[in-house]
Amino acid sequence: MWFLILLLIVVLIGLLYFISWFVNYRKSGKCPLCALEKMGVPTKLTINTDEVEDYDSGAALTPPMGWSSWNTFKQNISEELILSTAAAMRLSGLTEAGYQYINIDDCWHSSFRDENGRLQGDLGKFPSGIPAVIEKINHMGMKVGLYSSNGTLTCEDLPASLGNEAIDAKTIAEWGCEFFKYDFCHNKKISGDAPVIEGIELNRPGKAVECTLKPEDAAFTGRAQIVNIKRLPSGKAVGLLNHNAGTATFRPVVELSGKYVLTLLIYKSFNLHHEQYLQIIVNGEIHEVFAQKTKGFNATGRLQLMVDLQAGENEIVLKNPVRTLADSSYTQYSRMAREIKKATKAVSEKTGNPEKPIIFSICEWGTSLPHKWGAKAGNMWRTTHDIMPFWKSIYLIYCHNIKLYKYSKPGAWNDPDMLEVGNGKLTEDENRAHFSLWCMMAAPLVLGNDIRNFVNEDGTAVENHPVLNIVTNRDLIAIDQDPLGKAAKRVKKVSGIDILARPLANGDTALCFFNTSSKPKGLSFDLNELAEDDYLGFDTHSSYNIHELWSNEKFSTSILSASMPKHGVKVYRISK
């Protein structure tokens, strides 16, 4: 009985607290319903990206191929290690097979930025500096990738790029970086809350205010509207911009083109204990401001930024598009994507050389379903958390990634993480299956093993090295790099065997039998069944030319029979 009474009291207190929050939030000029709607769909992108162009750097029309320092060496990297690995890439024949990126992952940084606020390499481990390392690797005929995170620190607690997107993009572009992995560690979610705006002032630097925009000058969409705030001198403000509720658009007219100071007059409500966020889109260019928490002693505060205005009419849109975690992630990765494009263009204009695009690798761990928005913000996106060098990890990642086949396309790829081929205690059959599955799924092929083991002391490639033979299988690589860019679909499951297929640019079809069980398995499969799936565009014939890509066996048939060891694969290229 006492328990029920106590529970009732707790519920009543909670209800009173909720009602108080709801009323006060609305009185402060915010939309409480919009704030609540985010709770049910944290991974859903509510930002409309229909009119947003793909990132499309032009540098990843096929899945990128290279090597990364992380899986094997983690924090134990140095200039000597990176340069010797690059040399091994060339001497082993990996570059000839298509691998071209040497990606230096976390821990290349010093723990502090230089006197100009720029990232710099570890002052002991990279004594020549990162630009010199990049130049040396470029002279070997390869490209270099670097790493940062969109949070306050990298995963290893080194300087990251939050708040420094522009200078970091400029730095890596000027250094000649051509691949950029952007992690999710120490991420700081963007608030869906938006400041309430009493007005906007515009003036040229050092000049008096030339134009004042009032709430009644705005055109509204969604739930955004004019709200009454008694504490403000005017008593009115632009409100309900929070949590993607709507937009307010102003169309100011100025006499001269050039730089202008845009001052937001914001309402400082009492005891705001969290940061607020607002986008100001000026003639199509996105600016972002963060209103810090406040005690609100004065009703009105100021936020300023510098913008470009044109003579005559301009457009200024106010909005906070962030409702969910997915909205926050998309906004943050899009911010760095914009800065990277600006930076590569600026370097080209400054040097007079052709623009050197940077592949932008979104490493958001699949938390907010980046396969649904990744193409708008980058060239590739991690679909899962980190891979590990054991079979269970590889298999679980495959199980998730294979379902996302329709999101891959030239310039935009699902990334099931780096290859663990040659690492841990994987068997040769598991190494082959791992590599085959990644090729079938049109995944980036980024090696994670110590490729220096592929080279003898005299500089020649180790003959018949089992791991080198796997990762240089040119027939499998051709499947991965097929210009059509359509990833494999799992078309059938038969008693422990997954059947995967993907259409190829020349009209051929790649087919993979994957034994997911821990016992040897076999099957017979009528190839004409592939015609039942429209995704494959497969035409039926009485017989097909078959090439098995591991044994190099070639034959003709319409009924394909095969047996695989546990965790083994057979991969075929089928032509008419």
Side-chain angles (χ1 to χ4, degrees):
M1 182 66 179
W2 285 108
F3 173 77
L4 293 177
I5 293 173
L6 181 61
L7 180 62
L8 181 60
I9 292 172
V10 170
V11 170
L12 287 173
I13 292 173
L15 182 60
L16 289 172
Y17 177 82
F18 172 77
I19 293 172
S20 175
W21 169 84
F22 191 96
V23 172
N24 289 328
Y25 198 70
R26 182 62 182 83
K27 283 183 178 180
S28 69
K30 311 293 180 65
C31 173
L33 290 175
C34 306
L36 293 172
E37 286 172 353
K38 67 179 181 178
M39 296 180 180
V41 285
T43 60
K44 180 181 179 180
L45 187 73
T46 68
I47 297 173
N48 184 0
T49 62
D50 291 344
E51 297 182 2
V52 178
E53 294 182 356
D54 284 356
Y55 175 74
D56 190 18
S57 67
L61 297 181
T62 59
M65 297 176 62
W67 171 88
S68 171
S69 61
W70 184 254
N71 283 4
T72 294
F73 299 103
K74 295 182 169 56
Q75 77 276 18
N76 300 310
I77 59 175
S78 65
E79 182 174 323
E80 189 279 329
L81 171 72
I82 297 302
L83 292 176
S84 62
T85 298
M89 180 89 86
R90 180 172 53 85
L91 294 170
S92 64
L94 286 168
T95 53
E96 187 181 353
Y99 297 90
Q100 56 180 322
Y101 292 93
I102 297 290
N103 294 340
I104 312 174
D105 210 288
D106 204 351
C107 298
W108 64 265
H109 319 62
S110 170
S111 64
F112 66 95
R113 292 172 178 265
D114 68 15
E115 63 275 12
N116 297 313
R118 289 177 170 239
L119 294 171
Q120 57 184 343
D122 185 291
L123 300 177
K125 294 183 177 181
F126 290 87
S128 301
I130 299 300
V133 172
I134 292 176
E135 185 176 3
K136 290 175 183 178
I137 294 175
N138 287 167
H139 285 160
M140 296 184 200
M142 286 161 282
K143 302 175 182 180
V144 176
L146 293 174
Y147 164 99
S148 187
S149 180
N150 73 0
T152 54
L153 296 167
T154 71
C155 294
E156 291 298 315
D157 307 317
L158 291 166
S161 297
L162 180 65
N164 293 287
E165 292 86 355
I167 193 171
D168 289 355
K170 183 179 180 182
T171 299
I172 66 170
E174 291 179 351
W175 287 352
C177 169
E178 296 179 73
F179 185 107
F180 187 52
K181 176 182 173 182
Y182 205 40
D183 219 331
F184 200 56
C185 281
H186 295 283
N187 176 262
K188 182 180 178 183
K189 182 180 180 295
I190 297 175
S191 173
D193 208 353
V196 173
I197 309 299
E198 185 182 17
I200 298 175
E201 295 176 347
L202 299 169
N203 63 282
R204 285 172 289 167
K207 303 292 183 180
V209 173
E210 300 177 29
C211 180
T212 299
L213 304 174
K214 299 178 181 180
E216 51 266 33
D217 298 324
F220 296 99
T221 65
R223 293 169 175 165
Q225 58 186 266
I226 296 174
V227 294
N228 297 317
I229 305 290
K230 293 180 179 180
R231 291 185 66 225
L232 291 174
S234 67
K236 295 181 179 180
V238 174
L240 278 68
L241 296 174
N242 58 292
H243 297 95
N244 206 7
T247 66
T249 300
F250 298 88
R251 298 192 178 279
V253 175
V254 297
E255 292 184 3
L256 300 174
S257 297
K259 296 286 185 183
Y260 280 74
V261 178
L262 186 153
T263 302
L264 288 170
L265 305 177
I266 67 169
Y267 169 49
K268 296 171 66 176
S269 57
F270 286 116
N271 297 318
L272 180 65
H273 297 298
H274 59 270
E275 189 176 69
Q276 299 177 97
Y277 172 74
L278 192 69
Q279 287 187 0
I280 302 98
I281 306 172
V282 181
N283 297 329
E285 183 175 359
I286 299 174
H287 301 267
E288 298 174 287
V289 295
F290 295 85
Q292 303 302 319
K293 57 186 179 180
T294 176
K295 293 294 184 182
F297 294 121
N298 297 302
T300 303
R302 288 178 171 83
L303 289 175
Q304 291 187 324
L305 62 154
M306 198 72 71
V307 301
D308 291 307
L309 297 181
Q310 61 195 15
E313 186 178 83
N314 296 265
E315 181 183 76
I316 299 175
V317 180
L318 306 181
K319 68 176 182 177
N320 182 330
V322 177
R323 181 179 296 174
T324 64
L325 177 61
D327 294 332
S328 174
S329 293
Y330 169 75
T331 300
Q332 290 170 329
Y333 281 100
S334 296
R335 180 192 306 155
M336 180 54 89
R338 290 194 303 273
E339 296 300 337
I340 290 173
K341 283 202 164 185
K342 287 180 187 176
T344 56
K345 183 179 180 181
V347 169
S348 176
E349 292 173 348
K350 181 179 179 180
T351 62
N353 296 323
E355 187 171 347
K356 185 184 285 188
I358 296 175
I359 291 177
F360 188 34
S361 173
I362 296 170
C363 188
E364 197 259 2
W365 317 333
T367 304
S368 296
L369 310 184
H371 55 275
K372 293 188 175 182
W373 49 263
K376 305 292 185 179
N379 294 115
M380 49 191 277
W381 47 88
R382 278 277 297 282
T383 57
T384 66
H385 283 267
D386 289 3
I387 196 169
M388 299 292 177
F390 51 85
W391 181 249
K392 186 71 171 179
S393 170
I394 293 164
Y395 176 68
L396 290 175
I397 287 175
Y398 153 77
C399 288
H400 178 74
N401 197 73
I402 191 64
K403 301 172 185 176
L404 310 179
Y405 65 93
K406 65 180 179 181
Y407 296 99
S408 280
K409 61 182 179 180
W413 308 102
N414 291 318
D415 176 18
D417 206 2
M418 298 168 284
L419 290 162
E420 292 283 12
V421 176
N423 289 340
K425 297 181 179 179
L426 298 174
T427 68
E428 184 171 358
D429 288 323
E430 289 170 343
N431 278 325
R432 284 188 178 188
H434 178 17
F435 190 73
S436 300
L437 295 172
W438 264 233
C439 289
M440 288 296 294
M441 294 188 294
L445 300 179
V446 180
L447 303 174
N449 57 321
D450 188 351
I451 62 178
R452 297 175 302 175
N453 294 329
F454 295 161
V455 180
N456 295 310
E457 290 185 3
D458 62 1
T460 59
V462 175
E463 188 173 354
N464 290 322
H465 192 293
V467 175
L468 181 60
N469 288 342
I470 289 172
V471 299
T472 55
N473 183 315
R474 292 175 184 266
D475 293 321
L476 264 297
I477 291 173
I479 299 298
D480 179 78
Q481 296 290 297
D482 186 76
L484 185 61
K486 296 186 74 170
K489 178 181 180 181
R490 182 166 53 195
V491 295
K492 194 172 185 178
K493 300 179 76 170
V494 182
S495 61
I497 297 175
D498 283 5
I499 301 176
L500 317 178
R502 61 176 289 189
L504 303 176
N506 71 341
D508 289 357
T509 301
L511 181 69
C512 175
F513 296 156
F514 170 37
N515 180 6
T516 65
S517 75
S518 57
K519 298 179 181 179
K521 291 276 185 176
L523 85 165
S524 291
F525 180 69
D526 186 345
L527 295 177
N528 288 320
E529 286 188 40
L530 297 176
E532 298 173 6
D533 196 309
D534 293 338
Y535 179 75
L536 302 176
F538 192 87
D539 296 326
T540 59
H541 286 261
S542 58
S543 184
Y544 304 90
N545 296 318
I546 311 295
H547 180 195
E548 205 287 310
L549 304 184
W550 286 112
S551 66
N552 204 30
E553 182 183 5
K554 297 180 180 179
F555 53 94
S556 296
T557 188
S558 62
I559 306 294
L560 194 53
S561 298
S563 59
M564 288 76 65
K566 73 171 186 177
H567 307 160
V569 294
K570 292 283 189 179
V571 186
Y572 304 92
R573 187 167 185 135
I574 303 168
S575 56
K576 278 76 173 182

